[in-house]
Amino acid sequence: MTKPTLLVRSTALLLCLLIFQAGSTSHGQASVSGARISSDQYALLSFKASLLDRADRLSSWQGEDCCEWKGVRCSNRMGHLIKLSFRNIDMDEYNYPNMSRSLSLSVGEMSSTLATLQNLRYLDLSGNYFNCTSIPVFLASLNNLRYLNLSFAGFSGAIPSRLGNLSKLHYLNVSWNDFQTMDLAWSPV
Ligand SMILES: *[C@@H]1O[C@H](CO)[C@@H](O)[C@H](O)[C@H]1NC(C)=O
Ligand SMILES: *[C@@H]1O[C@H](CO)[C@@H](O)[C@H](O)[C@H]1NC(C)=O
Ligand SMILES: *[C@@H]1O[C@H](CO)[C@@H](O)[C@H](O)[C@H]1NC(C)=O
Ligand SMILES: *[C@@H]1O[C@H](CO)[C@@H](O)[C@H](O)[C@H]1NC(C)=O
Ligand SMILES: *[C@@H]1O[C@H](CO)[C@@H](O)[C@H](O)[C@H]1NC(C)=O
């Protein structure tokens, strides 16, 4: 049910971008239309399309240079996308994340295009609400991750054992989720 929806949305998004790009490069530049959408930008926009952003926190996510977008950082030297922070820092009166500022899912699961960001070292999803879905296994293929903060992120189920394959990981916070602790399959290598 949900996957085709996401696919349709992503496709629609890509089409819009292609049209936009074709329009914006029509005066002067002889470039293949659409070629300038970087794969990183595409991954981020697909990810965004799988999120419900009621507080409009990702409104800066437009324009050509995704390194300029809020929460995104690229390396100075190579321009690689190395850091993504979606952390919701707004707390309510009980010191829990203010849910009305949380990102949540607009479809069944977050977009796995995130896994194409292979230079990512830092990923912070904390303080958001991923609708009691499981931690996506594709996070385990982000081989360069040093920092992964999934605290207060509304995940449930089991912690994928494949996260143990993230050999460069220095920091993992999975506190305050709804894991079935008896199902913990976490096995660091
Ligand atoms: C939570 O966020 C909403 C929307 O930004 C805001 O109206 C509300 O006052 C916030 N609640 C607290 C306790 O800060
Ligand atoms: C995820 O949770 C939010 C907040 O409760 C809700 O508005 C949204 O519809 C949910 N998404 C899905 C796909 O069920
Ligand atoms: C991880 O996220 C939680 C919740 O946002 C925050 O309190 C904690 O400081 C973060 N950890 C680090 C090392 O940044
Ligand atoms: C993990 O996140 C919680 C807040 O959600 C924070 O209180 C705790 O200190 C963090 N743990 C570490 C080891 O950073
Ligand atoms: C970890 O990676 C190795 C090599 O890529 C693979 O053989 C192994 O099955 C992986 N472990 C898990 C738990 O996925």
Side-chain angles (χ1 to χ4, degrees):
M1 282 296 282
T2 51
K3 271 191 179 163
T5 314
L6 176 59
L7 194 60
V8 169
R9 287 178 64 123
S10 311
T11 310
L13 192 63
L14 183 61
L15 281 174
C16 291
L17 281 167
L18 286 171
I19 290 162
F20 173 75
Q21 287 285 334
S24 63
T25 55
S26 61
H27 35 262
Q29 264 175 289
S31 72
V32 183
S33 66
R36 295 181 56 204
I37 303 172
S38 71
S39 64
D40 287 356
Q41 192 177 353
Y42 176 70
L44 293 179
L45 289 173
S46 305
F47 183 64
K48 182 185 176 184
S50 67
L51 300 177
L52 192 63
D53 179 16
R54 282 176 303 182
D56 232 5
R57 287 171 46 204
L58 302 180
S59 55
S60 73
W61 281 35
Q62 46 192 304
E64 266 176 37
D65 188 1
C66 58
C67 295
E68 302 286 314
W69 297 354
K70 193 158 182 267
V72 180
R73 222 187 80 202
C74 300
S75 65
N76 293 332
R77 232 156 45 92
M78 306 295 284
H80 289 151
L81 203 162
I82 52 173
K83 178 172 173 177
L84 264 185
S85 176
F86 296 96
R87 187 191 292 191
N88 172 14
I89 53 168
D90 284 290
M91 297 292 156
D92 66 14
E93 57 270 42
Y94 308 105
N95 227 21
Y96 291 118
N98 181 347
M99 281 291 283
S100 46
R101 312 246 341 137
S102 291
L103 300 169
S104 57
L105 291 176
S106 65
V107 291
E109 55 191 17
M110 69 170 85
S111 171
S112 60
T113 52
L114 213 56
T116 64
L117 302 173
Q118 280 293 310
N119 294 299
L120 205 60
R121 292 161 163 257
Y122 180 109
L123 179 62
D124 191 343
L125 299 176
S126 68
N128 296 298
Y129 178 67
F130 289 94
N131 294 66
C132 295
T133 54
S134 308
I135 294 178
V137 174
F138 68 74
L139 292 183
S141 58
L142 291 167
N143 295 311
N144 280 304
L145 273 190
R146 268 74 167 170
Y147 174 99
L148 180 59
N149 199 336
L150 304 177
S151 171
F152 271 123
F155 286 114
S156 72
I159 299 173
S161 59
R162 280 190 52 203
L163 286 185
N165 259 16
L166 293 172
S167 56
K168 294 179 181 165
L169 205 60
H170 289 296
Y171 182 82
L172 173 69
N173 196 334
V174 293
S175 65
W176 296 95
N177 285 280
D178 188 22
F179 299 120
Q180 294 150 289
T181 44
M182 298 312 288
D183 278 356
L184 284 190
W186 166 251
S187 53
V189 287

